[in-house]
Amino acid sequence: MQSFEIDKTDLQRIKVALESDDAELQRVLKEYHPSEIALLFEKLPQEAKEKIINILPTEVASEVISEMDEEHRPGELLINLHPDKRSEIVEELDYDDATDIISQLDEDEQQEILEDLDQEDADSIRALLKYDEDTAGGIMNSEIIKVNLNFDKKEALDEIIRQSEEMEEFYTVYVVDDSNTLIGILSLKDVVKARINAKVKDIVNTDFVFVKAELDQEEVAKLISQYNLTTIPVVDDHMKLLGRITVDDIIDVMEQENTEDILKISGVSEDEELSGNWKDAVKSRLPWLIINLGTAYLAASIIRHFDDTVAQLPILAAYMTIIAGMGGNSATQALAVTVRRISLSDLTDSQAYNTVFKEFLVGLINGAANGLIVFFIALFYDANIMLGLVLFLAMTGNLVVAGLTGASIPLILKRVGIDPAVASSIIITTFTDCAGFLLPLWFATHLLLHTHVK
């Protein structure tokens, strides 16, 4: 099965069906998976979305809303539905998905939805809404399968069957004591293979990985990846079982975190939505561009300091832009690798030093290689071996600066508690631009002009 991509044909079919009767619309919609309908919603007006959701069976409608991207406001779609239809959809959703969608709404709208729900469902969602959305508690599902430590095999199987009736899928059975303290985990295979008279306490696995509700979601993703888990239990400070986080939740987390890092490195606020309007984009980006403008003036001041050199060697103006640009590209490469390493694990001092040394070495080798190319170009076109030497030294030096700053700046920022993805790019660009102008001008002043004076 190939991944679904929106094209004009699909959109046209849906739009034609929307103008027909309900039977025709239902027939067309049956040909699409809920996740595909969610993608089509990105191109449809609000009225069309509401009509489709109202005509879909509740089970399918809930899947469509849960698959919608947060940027396309599934919460707003939900709040505009008839209260009965809305409640049916919310009660069909997993608690974590329902919480994510409802949390997008104003507090009064949240209460409006929760008041129409079954008391148990409403209480479960309210409990999840208390957690920060970027924590383990914020992404966990409180629907779990748990059995008592003192159950025998038959009692455990009966309890698993009873609790799983309203759950779509589960991977792990959690073992608790009489006070709901998490003791260990079981797989269905463990239960099925156990002897007929076995007790849960005899087959429980007490060596397991768990997370506290306040743990950052990125740390949860690291644990699931490190231990190759399909699910991980969430507990409070007293080891009381609160819920579970599954691997599909973590896939969403990793996509979200990677998107945030890419935007931050590019100097774009994580608050800017990818599909947002131009006003939000300007508000998000303008402050960073103004800061960049200030650093650009700092680099320009270096050129003003060497006015005499530029006047006597105007060819340097062309080469300086090349050297500064190469430094910026090289620094971005080092920065991307270092930020990614930081996001995957906390680097020890030794690993941090090795990272910086590696980027220094890479910068030195790449700088020398590109410097040689520029050297021969200057020799061929300008017939000036000393100009070639100046450009070789400047190119090598700037790529060394790029490697060192690209690796060390994010590490330093991380140590002082600043997100390296946010501030690194501006600092590094300042270094490479200044070095890209300073090095060729300084070497030219002392190697070329002083040579001519003599």
Side-chain angles (χ1 to χ4, degrees):
M1 182 177 180
Q2 294 181 333
S3 60
F4 177 77
E5 293 184 5
I6 300 174
D7 61 33
K8 294 179 180 179
T9 304
D10 292 303
L11 281 172
Q12 188 61 33
R13 287 191 67 204
I14 295 294
K15 289 177 180 178
V16 170
L18 282 165
E19 296 172 357
S20 304
D21 57 27
D22 289 352
E24 175 63 15
L25 179 57
Q26 287 176 327
R27 187 191 68 78
V28 172
L29 291 173
K30 282 182 180 179
E31 299 179 20
Y32 293 92
H33 187 274
S35 63
E36 296 172 351
I37 298 175
L39 284 175
L40 289 166
F41 271 16
E42 296 178 9
K43 303 295 183 181
L44 293 176
Q46 188 73 9
E47 290 182 5
K49 296 177 188 177
E50 291 177 19
K51 182 175 181 179
I52 289 172
I53 287 295
N54 279 313
I55 208 170
L56 287 172
T58 301
E59 184 178 342
V60 178
S62 67
E63 285 190 63
V64 171
I65 287 183
S66 68
E67 291 289 342
M68 287 178 65
D69 194 285
E70 184 178 338
E71 293 182 19
H72 296 96
R73 310 296 185 190
E76 291 182 8
L77 175 58
L78 191 65
I79 195 67
N80 289 330
L81 299 176
H82 186 277
D84 292 340
K85 180 72 172 182
R86 185 174 63 205
S87 296
E88 290 174 4
I89 290 174
V90 174
E91 289 172 359
E92 189 70 32
L93 290 167
D94 288 338
Y95 287 145
D96 57 337
D97 291 333
T99 304
D100 288 341
I101 294 169
I102 293 173
S103 66
Q104 300 171 12
L105 302 171
D106 296 333
E107 192 169 337
D108 57 337
E109 293 175 327
Q110 293 179 12
Q111 292 306 317
E112 180 183 339
I113 292 176
L114 294 173
E115 286 171 1
D116 292 332
L117 299 179
D118 174 85
Q119 188 63 43
E120 182 181 350
D121 292 333
D123 289 344
S124 297
I125 293 172
R126 283 193 179 97
L128 292 177
L129 284 169
K130 294 177 182 177
Y131 296 104
D132 190 297
E133 64 178 356
D134 294 331
T135 64
I139 61 173
M140 74 177 178
N141 189 348
S142 57
E143 292 179 295
I144 50 180
I145 303 291
K146 61 182 179 181
V147 297
N148 191 280
L149 182 69
N150 298 311
F151 283 178
D152 60 27
K153 177 178 178 176
K154 182 180 183 307
E155 290 173 322
L157 282 172
D158 289 344
E159 189 65 18
I160 291 169
I161 292 169
R162 184 187 69 80
Q163 294 181 34
S164 64
E165 286 181 357
E166 296 187 3
M167 292 182 63
E168 288 188 10
E169 57 186 20
F170 63 96
Y171 308 98
T172 305
V173 177
Y174 299 106
V175 178
V176 297
D177 63 14
D178 294 334
S179 61
N180 199 44
T181 300
L182 182 60
I183 304 299
I185 60 174
L186 285 176
S187 67
L188 280 176
K189 181 180 178 181
D190 295 331
V191 181
V192 172
K193 288 182 64 179
R195 64 184 187 279
I196 195 66
N197 61 341
K199 294 280 190 181
V200 170
K201 63 184 177 183
D202 297 325
I203 58 176
V204 62
N205 177 12
T206 56
D207 182 19
F208 62 96
V209 182
F210 62 89
V211 295
K212 298 290 183 67
E214 297 77 19
L215 188 68
D216 186 89
Q217 62 179 10
E218 198 168 0
E219 296 300 318
V220 179
K222 289 178 185 178
L223 282 172
I224 285 186
S225 175
Q226 180 179 351
Y227 292 99
N228 296 317
L229 303 173
T230 54
T231 183
I232 193 168
V234 183
V235 299
D236 65 13
D237 292 334
H238 304 290
M239 286 300 292
K240 304 295 183 183
L241 182 60
L242 300 174
R244 64 185 171 119
I245 297 171
T246 54
V247 69
D248 58 311
D249 298 316
I250 293 305
I251 291 173
D252 294 336
V253 168
M254 294 173 71
E255 179 181 347
Q256 176 187 338
E257 295 289 345
N258 288 338
T259 300
E260 286 181 6
D261 285 346
I262 292 170
L263 292 177
K264 288 175 183 177
I265 289 174
S266 304
V268 178
S269 169
E270 63 187 276
D271 295 327
E272 180 182 332
E273 297 178 353
L274 297 182
S275 60
N277 58 42
W278 65 269
K279 293 180 181 179
D280 293 331
V282 170
K283 182 179 177 181
S284 168
R285 303 179 199 180
L286 184 57
W288 294 106
L289 290 175
I290 292 173
I291 294 173
N292 272 331
L293 180 61
T295 62
Y297 268 104
L298 177 62
S301 68
I302 293 174
I303 300 176
R304 292 176 66 89
H305 183 74
F306 288 92
D307 278 345
D308 291 342
T309 303
V310 175
Q312 296 180 60
L313 295 168
I315 189 62
L316 278 177
Y319 283 114
M320 283 190 305
T321 59
I322 296 173
I323 293 170
M326 290 293 292
N329 289 335
S330 181
T332 300
Q333 292 172 340
L335 172 63
V337 172
T338 305
V339 169
R340 187 59 182 155
R341 288 200 66 184
I342 292 172
S343 69
L344 291 174
S345 62
D346 290 326
L347 301 182
T348 63
D349 288 343
S350 176
Q351 290 172 326
Y353 293 143
N354 288 338
T355 298
V356 174
F357 179 74
K358 169 200 161 187
E359 294 300 336
F360 162 77
L361 193 59
V362 170
L364 180 63
I365 295 171
N366 287 343
N370 283 280
L372 279 174
I373 294 173
V374 178
F375 172 84
F376 285 114
I377 289 174
L379 191 62
F380 180 78
Y381 282 102
D382 301 298
N384 190 331
I385 191 170
M386 289 304 296
L387 176 61
L389 177 61
V390 164
L391 297 175
F392 169 81
L393 293 173
M395 180 69 79
T396 304
N398 200 26
L399 264 64
V400 167
V401 169
L404 286 173
T405 56
S408 60
I409 294 300
L411 290 169
I412 293 170
L413 292 175
K414 177 71 173 178
R415 287 295 173 90
V416 298
I418 299 174
D419 189 339
V422 175
S424 294
S425 59
I426 289 180
I427 299 173
I428 290 168
T429 300
T430 302
F431 272 99
T432 54
D433 283 353
C434 290
F437 296 144
L438 175 63
L439 291 174
L441 289 169
W442 189 89
F443 282 124
T445 301
H446 291 80
L447 295 180
L448 274 172
L449 297 186
H450 283 188
T451 301
H452 291 322
V453 169
K454 292 179 181 179

